[in-house]
Amino acid sequence: MCFGSKDEVHEEQQPAPRPLPRPSSIDKGASSKKQPPMAPYQDPPSPTTAGPSSSISYPPQQQQQNSYAPPPGPPPSKSQPYQDPPSGVATSSQPPPPPPTDLPPSYGDANPQHDWAAAVPDTSLFPPPPAIFSGFERSPSSNASEEEAIAGEVWCEDNPMTAPMMLDDASKGALHFHNIRLMEPAGFNGTLEWKGPGVWKATTRKNSPDRCLISYPPLYSVHEHGPLRTGAPRTIYYEVRILADSPTTYVGLGFTALPYPSFRMPGWHRGSLAVHGDDGHKYINDRWGGKAFTQPFTRGETYGIGMTVKPAEAGRLLVDVFFTRNGSLAGGWNIHEETDAEEDLPVDGLEGHHDLCAAVGVYDGVGIEVVFAPERWMYRDL
């Protein structure tokens, strides 16, 4: 972006002053100080009238330049042929002495040109600059239709995010024992089975539409866990294992504030984030192609996602997201990391001031196991 008018010339935009031309060999001995005006030249008195004891005085400049004084008389005209010097003037067959060699180098051209080719290096072999904003317009794997994206935005406008809820005793007990429930959304084309406290199995049929499984109660409750109330950080986490015989790896795992459109994958709308297995991209309120983050998922592997909300100075909250693969930390980011103000949408709902639920997205044919029970997690560094 250009600031100011193109016709304005600011002082810092003025071109640098050019160096002054260096003196030529003729005025090499001239002083930098001003000299008094020179008297007009007069012929010295004749030796016959001056006498042997008289001294001939010359002007100062003439004394300095007497070895280079021209012969008396006017110079020959270009149209006149060469004439012998007057009699009495000494001549020499020796060539004139060479010019002094101790002069400093001359700039040559009075108006030198800048040699940009010597000053600017060849950048053709330089590595490309880092991709600070690595957002994609579309996923390289699969994409929902524009009509579905518009429907999700309309749904969010009609259903704004809710304030933090007060949990009842049953919900507090479920959180304490990690007996989290996954809610089956409308239009879910598959099966959802409870395998035991904190463990669920989900399968979908081929060509099933996008659906988002949302947990209850929230894994992060502002009233129960908020650092502004408790003064302590809160970490939430769960894992998803893709079954070895799963037809695809079309699953996304993340978190969302409530409510969220269950017919959309997590991370595509406000108050939601997720990592998708088909392309390995991370999505934070991003209904386009996400940002490069990790490798696409593989059948038989286990993936986990977590968030840590911790207090900071001046009543602020810091939120970090981390991602695991087969029990090892495999990446993460801060929710307020540098973003593109023109391309990225806000992270409202993910900053620790709203309740957050687990959000597992599935589509097409896929088989997964969702684990909330810590004793069943592969990742142990919590």
Side-chain angles (χ1 to χ4, degrees), residues 220 222 225-234 309-311 317-318 352:
Y220 172 82
V222 174
H225 315 120
L228 295 182
R229 189 187 71 83
T230 65
R234 169 68 175 181
V309 184
K310 53 188 176 182
L317 294 176
L318 298 179

Side-chain angles (χ1 to χ4, degrees), residues 29 50 60 72 95 205 220 240 254 270 286 339 362:
R205 299 180 180 88
Y220 172 82
V240 172
R270 54 99 171 104
D286 185 344
T339 56
V362 291

Side-chain angles (χ1 to χ4, degrees), residues 77-329:
S77 173
K78 294 182 180 180
S79 60
Q80 295 178 354
Y82 174 77
Q83 298 178 359
D84 293 334
S87 61
V89 178
T91 60
S92 174
S93 61
Q94 299 296 327
T101 59
D102 59 344
L103 297 179
S106 173
Y107 279 97
D109 188 2
N111 187 21
Q113 300 295 320
H114 178 63
D115 188 3
W116 63 268
V120 179
D122 182 10
T123 60
S124 61
L125 300 179
F126 284 11
I132 299 177
F133 308 117
S134 57
F136 291 85
E137 294 294 330
R138 295 176 60 83
S139 169
S141 175
S142 57
N143 297 273
S145 66
E146 183 178 358
E147 291 76 12
E148 292 172 317
I150 295 174
E153 288 297 294
V154 172
W155 191 96
C156 290
E157 292 177 2
D158 295 339
N159 299 272
M161 288 186 293
T162 60
M165 65 181 72
M166 298 295 298
L167 300 181
D168 56 20
D169 291 340
S171 299
K172 293 179 183 179
L175 277 177
H176 178 75
F177 293 104
H178 307 285
N179 191 17
I180 310 300
R181 177 182 178 85
L182 277 181
M183 295 180 290
E184 181 176 321
F188 180 71
N189 187 11
T191 60
L192 183 61
E193 305 176 57
W194 181 72
K195 306 296 291 184
V199 181
W200 292 81
K201 179 182 178 181
T203 59
T204 57
R205 299 180 180 88
K206 185 175 178 58
N207 298 323
S208 294
D210 298 337
R211 289 297 181 265
C212 186
L213 311 175
I214 298 176
S215 71
Y216 186 85
L219 299 184
Y220 172 82
S221 169
V222 174
H223 290 295
E224 295 295 321
H225 315 120
L228 295 182
R229 189 187 71 83
T230 65
R234 169 68 175 181
T235 296
I236 57 177
Y237 176 79
Y238 70 95
E239 292 184 348
V240 172
R241 183 173 68 91
I242 302 179
L243 303 180
D245 58 352
S246 174
T248 70
T249 59
Y250 297 157
V251 58
L253 54 155
F255 299 98
T256 185
L258 295 175
Y260 189 79
S262 61
F263 58 91
R264 296 285 284 166
M265 293 287 285
W268 281 354
H269 296 284
R270 54 99 171 104
S272 180
L273 63 84
V275 178
H276 290 194
D278 61 330
D279 53 18
H281 292 180
K282 63 179 180 180
Y283 293 78
I284 308 102
N285 190 10
D286 185 344
R287 58 185 180 272
W288 293 276
K291 293 184 179 181
F293 178 66
T294 188
Q295 296 297 320
F297 294 178
T298 303
R299 297 176 182 86
E301 292 193 340
T302 298
Y303 304 91
I305 191 165
M307 291 181 66
T308 298
V309 184
K310 53 188 176 182
E313 68 281 354
R316 295 174 55 248
L317 294 176
L318 298 179
V319 182
D320 292 310
V321 184
F322 60 96
F323 177 78
T324 67
R325 182 187 293 257
N326 293 328
S328 299
L329 191 64

